[in-house]
Amino acid sequence: MNKNSNPPYIPFHPNPSKPRFQPPAGAVDSHCHVFGPASRFPYAAERKYTPVDAPKEKLFALRDFLGFDKNVIVQASCHGTDNAALVDALVNSNNKARGVATVGEQTSKQELQALDKAGVRGVRFNFVKRLVDFTPRDVLEKIAATIAPMGWHIVVYFEMPDLPELESFFTALPTLVVVDHMGRPDVKKGIDHPEFQRYLKLLDAHDNIWSKVSCPERLTSQGAPYDDVVPFARALVERYPNRVLWGTDWPHPNMPVEAPDDGVLVDVIPRIARNPELQEALLVHNPMALYWS
Ligand code: 0GY
């Protein structure tokens, strides 16, 4: 897909339902984005899709409506390495948002320090081919070496068939590493399939690797309420209670058929984190340790 091609871009849900599940006090939505507004924060020339504007005011209103207290805003590919919309959201969040930026080889130490001051605590390396062009490993290694002493971490986004090829790169990274969307398993294969088992073994062997248990709406083959994705997220939450994060992924870029109802997504949480201790870890303790400590 390129930025001018069909199918048309599907906007976020206009009227999400109120979730039945009430997140614990101080809960953090640890994966969401801001897009534009393009009039102020133009999309990157090299982008592969053009989203509908999803500005900070809408994100903060959704946060309150869903019963969350804070956001971790992740730079998405449509804004490239221009983190201006992200920074604008962070500095206007009243200390209720932290960020994960995308930076390039050319990003200076001063720029990184300014991002840190605004609330950025990590960088994202995106390996999903439909979203970004290839970046050489040595460039990523240089970025990793630069941000590691700042106490930042690295968020990686890839699809599970690519894990064997990427694994040695991930395990050599000098920081804590957070995997987006459970590494995007093919849920039709089931949790016992070697692909997902390989992912678990990776986390077993490396306690600096964390996993987001997000995006049932992208991974499902059955649709809401995402019964086919729950076992994957639950396995991760129960095996690594102190290394998991949850996020809405609002405003849900590139959904193929329809935007998810964010209230329904929140109601998945008590099915994957089945007691208050696991919910506190997933939604409060883990993100607070990584982003607000
Ligand atoms: C997500 C997922 C997607 C998009 C991006 O950077 C991005 O554009 O991450 C996707 O299309 O799977 O996490 O928002």
PDB file of all heavy atoms in Angstrom, residues 228-246:
ATOM      1  N   ASP A 228     -10.124 -15.463  20.182  1.00  0.00           N
ATOM      2  CA  ASP A 228      -8.979 -16.196  19.627  1.00  0.00           C
ATOM      3  C   ASP A 228      -7.636 -15.573  20.016  1.00  0.00           C
ATOM      4  O   ASP A 228      -6.599 -16.220  19.920  1.00  0.00           O
ATOM      5  CB  ASP A 228      -9.082 -16.330  18.095  1.00  0.00           C
ATOM      6  CG  ASP A 228      -9.296 -14.993  17.377  1.00  0.00           C
ATOM      7  OD1 ASP A 228      -9.664 -13.990  18.020  1.00  0.00           O
ATOM      8  OD2 ASP A 228      -9.114 -14.964  16.140  1.00  0.00           O
ATOM      9  N   VAL A 229      -7.645 -14.315  20.480  1.00  0.00           N
ATOM     10  CA  VAL A 229      -6.392 -13.644  20.851  1.00  0.00           C
ATOM     11  C   VAL A 229      -6.130 -13.739  22.358  1.00  0.00           C
ATOM     12  O   VAL A 229      -4.979 -13.726  22.801  1.00  0.00           O
ATOM     13  CB  VAL A 229      -6.401 -12.161  20.404  1.00  0.00           C
ATOM     14  CG1 VAL A 229      -5.031 -11.528  20.611  1.00  0.00           C
ATOM     15  CG2 VAL A 229      -6.813 -12.041  18.931  1.00  0.00           C
ATOM     16  N   VAL A 230      -7.209 -13.864  23.125  1.00  0.00           N
ATOM     17  CA  VAL A 230      -7.087 -13.856  24.597  1.00  0.00           C
ATOM     18  C   VAL A 230      -6.035 -14.857  25.106  1.00  0.00           C
ATOM     19  O   VAL A 230      -5.208 -14.490  25.961  1.00  0.00           O
ATOM     20  CB  VAL A 230      -8.471 -14.082  25.259  1.00  0.00           C
ATOM     21  CG1 VAL A 230      -8.333 -14.450  26.736  1.00  0.00           C
ATOM     22  CG2 VAL A 230      -9.335 -12.825  25.110  1.00  0.00           C
ATOM     23  N   PRO A 231      -5.983 -16.118  24.619  1.00  0.00           N
ATOM     24  CA  PRO A 231      -4.998 -17.049  25.196  1.00  0.00           C
ATOM     25  C   PRO A 231      -3.549 -16.595  25.028  1.00  0.00           C
ATOM     26  O   PRO A 231      -2.708 -16.866  25.896  1.00  0.00           O
ATOM     27  CB  PRO A 231      -5.234 -18.354  24.413  1.00  0.00           C
ATOM     28  CG  PRO A 231      -6.599 -18.216  23.832  1.00  0.00           C
ATOM     29  CD  PRO A 231      -6.853 -16.759  23.628  1.00  0.00           C
ATOM     30  N   PHE A 232      -3.255 -15.895  23.953  1.00  0.00           N
ATOM     31  CA  PHE A 232      -1.882 -15.417  23.714  1.00  0.00           C
ATOM     32  C   PHE A 232      -1.517 -14.350  24.750  1.00  0.00           C
ATOM     33  O   PHE A 232      -0.469 -14.416  25.388  1.00  0.00           O
ATOM     34  CB  PHE A 232      -1.770 -14.835  22.293  1.00  0.00           C
ATOM     35  CG  PHE A 232      -1.854 -15.869  21.215  1.00  0.00           C
ATOM     36  CD1 PHE A 232      -3.080 -16.389  20.813  1.00  0.00           C
ATOM     37  CD2 PHE A 232      -0.706 -16.337  20.605  1.00  0.00           C
ATOM     38  CE1 PHE A 232      -3.162 -17.355  19.835  1.00  0.00           C
ATOM     39  CE2 PHE A 232      -0.768 -17.304  19.621  1.00  0.00           C
ATOM     40  CZ  PHE A 232      -2.009 -17.822  19.233  1.00  0.00           C
ATOM     41  N   ALA A 233      -2.402 -13.367  24.891  1.00  0.00           N
ATOM     42  CA  ALA A 233      -2.122 -12.277  25.831  1.00  0.00           C
ATOM     43  C   ALA A 233      -2.107 -12.793  27.269  1.00  0.00           C
ATOM     44  O   ALA A 233      -1.251 -12.412  28.077  1.00  0.00           O
ATOM     45  CB  ALA A 233      -3.166 -11.178  25.656  1.00  0.00           C
ATOM     46  N   ARG A 234      -3.028 -13.696  27.573  1.00  0.00           N
ATOM     47  CA  ARG A 234      -3.093 -14.244  28.939  1.00  0.00           C
ATOM     48  C   ARG A 234      -1.819 -15.020  29.267  1.00  0.00           C
ATOM     49  O   ARG A 234      -1.268 -14.917  30.376  1.00  0.00           O
ATOM     50  CB  ARG A 234      -4.320 -15.161  29.044  1.00  0.00           C
ATOM     51  CG  ARG A 234      -4.565 -15.709  30.408  1.00  0.00           C
ATOM     52  CD  ARG A 234      -5.703 -16.694  30.393  1.00  0.00           C
ATOM     53  NE  ARG A 234      -7.006 -16.060  30.278  1.00  0.00           N
ATOM     54  CZ  ARG A 234      -8.136 -16.703  29.978  1.00  0.00           C
ATOM     55  NH1 ARG A 234      -8.119 -18.016  29.757  1.00  0.00           N
ATOM     56  NH2 ARG A 234      -9.279 -16.066  29.908  1.00  0.00           N
ATOM     57  N   ALA A 235      -1.326 -15.792  28.306  1.00  0.00           N
ATOM     58  CA  ALA A 235      -0.092 -16.562  28.539  1.00  0.00           C
ATOM     59  C   ALA A 235       1.057 -15.626  28.894  1.00  0.00           C
ATOM     60  O   ALA A 235       1.845 -15.901  29.812  1.00  0.00           O
ATOM     61  CB  ALA A 235       0.256 -17.379  27.290  1.00  0.00           C
ATOM     62  N   LEU A 236       1.146 -14.507  28.202  1.00  0.00           N
ATOM     63  CA  LEU A 236       2.234 -13.560  28.459  1.00  0.00           C
ATOM     64  C   LEU A 236       2.060 -12.879  29.814  1.00  0.00           C
ATOM     65  O   LEU A 236       3.014 -12.741  30.584  1.00  0.00           O
ATOM     66  CB  LEU A 236       2.290 -12.517  27.337  1.00  0.00           C
ATOM     67  CG  LEU A 236       2.806 -13.068  25.999  1.00  0.00           C
ATOM     68  CD1 LEU A 236       2.425 -12.146  24.853  1.00  0.00           C
ATOM     69  CD2 LEU A 236       4.317 -13.266  26.049  1.00  0.00           C
ATOM     70  N   VAL A 237       0.838 -12.460  30.114  1.00  0.00           N
ATOM     71  CA  VAL A 237       0.580 -11.755  31.390  1.00  0.00           C
ATOM     72  C   VAL A 237       0.881 -12.676  32.566  1.00  0.00           C
ATOM     73  O   VAL A 237       1.460 -12.246  33.571  1.00  0.00           O
ATOM     74  CB  VAL A 237      -0.887 -11.264  31.432  1.00  0.00           C
ATOM     75  CG1 VAL A 237      -1.285 -10.842  32.835  1.00  0.00           C
ATOM     76  CG2 VAL A 237      -1.095 -10.119  30.447  1.00  0.00           C
ATOM     77  N   GLU A 238       0.514 -13.951  32.447  1.00  0.00           N
ATOM     78  CA  GLU A 238       0.689 -14.861  33.583  1.00  0.00           C
ATOM     79  C   GLU A 238       2.137 -15.334  33.719  1.00  0.00           C
ATOM     80  O   GLU A 238       2.601 -15.625  34.817  1.00  0.00           O
ATOM     81  CB  GLU A 238      -0.314 -16.008  33.474  1.00  0.00           C
ATOM     82  CG  GLU A 238      -1.732 -15.447  33.628  1.00  0.00           C
ATOM     83  CD  GLU A 238      -2.860 -16.472  33.641  1.00  0.00           C
ATOM     84  OE1 GLU A 238      -2.604 -17.671  33.396  1.00  0.00           O
ATOM     85  OE2 GLU A 238      -4.014 -16.045  33.895  1.00  0.00           O
ATOM     86  N   ARG A 239       2.849 -15.395  32.592  1.00  0.00           N
ATOM     87  CA  ARG A 239       4.239 -15.871  32.643  1.00  0.00           C
ATOM     88  C   ARG A 239       5.225 -14.747  32.987  1.00  0.00           C
ATOM     89  O   ARG A 239       6.261 -14.992  33.598  1.00  0.00           O
ATOM     90  CB  ARG A 239       4.569 -16.459  31.271  1.00  0.00           C
ATOM     91  CG  ARG A 239       5.799 -17.301  31.197  1.00  0.00           C
ATOM     92  CD  ARG A 239       5.604 -18.301  30.070  1.00  0.00           C
ATOM     93  NE  ARG A 239       6.812 -18.843  29.546  1.00  0.00           N
ATOM     94  CZ  ARG A 239       6.852 -20.011  28.903  1.00  0.00           C
ATOM     95  NH1 ARG A 239       5.746 -20.710  28.720  1.00  0.00           N
ATOM     96  NH2 ARG A 239       7.973 -20.464  28.430  1.00  0.00           N
ATOM     97  N   TYR A 240       4.906 -13.544  32.551  1.00  0.00           N
ATOM     98  CA  TYR A 240       5.829 -12.403  32.760  1.00  0.00           C
ATOM     99  C   TYR A 240       5.055 -11.223  33.349  1.00  0.00           C
ATOM    100  O   TYR A 240       4.979 -10.146  32.736  1.00  0.00           O
ATOM    101  CB  TYR A 240       6.463 -11.974  31.430  1.00  0.00           C
ATOM    102  CG  TYR A 240       6.943 -13.113  30.583  1.00  0.00           C
ATOM    103  CD1 TYR A 240       6.236 -13.494  29.438  1.00  0.00           C
ATOM    104  CD2 TYR A 240       8.092 -13.833  30.915  1.00  0.00           C
ATOM    105  CE1 TYR A 240       6.662 -14.552  28.650  1.00  0.00           C
ATOM    106  CE2 TYR A 240       8.525 -14.894  30.141  1.00  0.00           C
ATOM    107  CZ  TYR A 240       7.803 -15.251  29.011  1.00  0.00           C
ATOM    108  OH  TYR A 240       8.228 -16.305  28.251  1.00  0.00           O
ATOM    109  N   PRO A 241       4.464 -11.373  34.534  1.00  0.00           N
ATOM    110  CA  PRO A 241       3.572 -10.322  35.039  1.00  0.00           C
ATOM    111  C   PRO A 241       4.239  -8.963  35.178  1.00  0.00           C
ATOM    112  O   PRO A 241       3.555  -7.942  35.075  1.00  0.00           O
ATOM    113  CB  PRO A 241       3.119 -10.864  36.405  1.00  0.00           C
ATOM    114  CG  PRO A 241       4.076 -11.946  36.755  1.00  0.00           C
ATOM    115  CD  PRO A 241       4.593 -12.501  35.474  1.00  0.00           C
ATOM    116  N   ASN A 242       5.550  -8.952  35.356  1.00  0.00           N
ATOM    117  CA  ASN A 242       6.241  -7.675  35.553  1.00  0.00           C
ATOM    118  C   ASN A 242       6.914  -7.141  34.299  1.00  0.00           C
ATOM    119  O   ASN A 242       7.696  -6.196  34.356  1.00  0.00           O
ATOM    120  CB  ASN A 242       7.281  -7.819  36.675  1.00  0.00           C
ATOM    121  CG  ASN A 242       6.614  -8.239  37.963  1.00  0.00           C
ATOM    122  OD1 ASN A 242       5.552  -7.723  38.309  1.00  0.00           O
ATOM    123  ND2 ASN A 242       7.188  -9.217  38.643  1.00  0.00           N
ATOM    124  N   ARG A 243       6.601  -7.772  33.138  1.00  0.00           N
ATOM    125  CA  ARG A 243       7.234  -7.340  31.893  1.00  0.00           C
ATOM    126  C   ARG A 243       6.218  -7.162  30.770  1.00  0.00           C
ATOM    127  O   ARG A 243       6.547  -7.317  29.604  1.00  0.00           O
ATOM    128  CB  ARG A 243       8.285  -8.369  31.466  1.00  0.00           C
ATOM    129  CG  ARG A 243       9.481  -8.434  32.379  1.00  0.00           C
ATOM    130  CD  ARG A 243      10.603  -9.189  31.688  1.00  0.00           C
ATOM    131  NE  ARG A 243      10.638 -10.592  32.014  1.00  0.00           N
ATOM    132  CZ  ARG A 243      11.060 -11.540  31.193  1.00  0.00           C
ATOM    133  NH1 ARG A 243      11.452 -11.243  29.974  1.00  0.00           N
ATOM    134  NH2 ARG A 243      11.085 -12.795  31.578  1.00  0.00           N
ATOM    135  N   VAL A 244       4.985  -6.857  31.129  1.00  0.00           N
ATOM    136  CA  VAL A 244       3.947  -6.681  30.104  1.00  0.00           C
ATOM    137  C   VAL A 244       3.325  -5.290  30.218  1.00  0.00           C
ATOM    138  O   VAL A 244       3.246  -4.707  31.294  1.00  0.00           O
ATOM    139  CB  VAL A 244       2.837  -7.761  30.220  1.00  0.00           C
ATOM    140  CG1 VAL A 244       3.312  -9.087  29.652  1.00  0.00           C
ATOM    141  CG2 VAL A 244       2.375  -7.926  31.671  1.00  0.00           C
ATOM    142  N   LEU A 245       2.908  -4.777  29.067  1.00  0.00           N
ATOM    143  CA  LEU A 245       2.245  -3.475  28.975  1.00  0.00           C
ATOM    144  C   LEU A 245       0.999  -3.652  28.116  1.00  0.00           C
ATOM    145  O   LEU A 245       0.979  -4.501  27.219  1.00  0.00           O
ATOM    146  CB  LEU A 245       3.165  -2.444  28.298  1.00  0.00           C
ATOM    147  CG  LEU A 245       4.503  -2.127  28.978  1.00  0.00           C
ATOM    148  CD1 LEU A 245       5.382  -1.301  28.027  1.00  0.00           C
ATOM    149  CD2 LEU A 245       4.284  -1.373  30.282  1.00  0.00           C
ATOM    150  N   TRP A 246       0.002  -2.812  28.381  1.00  0.00           N
ATOM    151  CA  TRP A 246      -1.241  -2.866  27.590  1.00  0.00           C
ATOM    152  C   TRP A 246      -1.519  -1.500  26.974  1.00  0.00           C
ATOM    153  O   TRP A 246      -1.280  -0.465  27.620  1.00  0.00           O
ATOM    154  CB  TRP A 246      -2.424  -3.259  28.487  1.00  0.00           C
ATOM    155  CG  TRP A 246      -3.703  -3.410  27.715  1.00  0.00           C
ATOM    156  CD1 TRP A 246      -4.180  -4.552  27.133  1.00  0.00           C
ATOM    157  CD2 TRP A 246      -4.661  -2.377  27.421  1.00  0.00           C
ATOM    158  NE1 TRP A 246      -5.369  -4.296  26.481  1.00  0.00           N
ATOM    159  CE2 TRP A 246      -5.683  -2.968  26.646  1.00  0.00           C
ATOM    160  CE3 TRP A 246      -4.744  -1.011  27.710  1.00  0.00           C
ATOM    161  CZ2 TRP A 246      -6.778  -2.247  26.169  1.00  0.00           C
ATOM    162  CZ3 TRP A 246      -5.823  -0.286  27.243  1.00  0.00           C
ATOM    163  CH2 TRP A 246      -6.837  -0.912  26.479  1.00  0.00           C
TER     164      TRP A 246
END
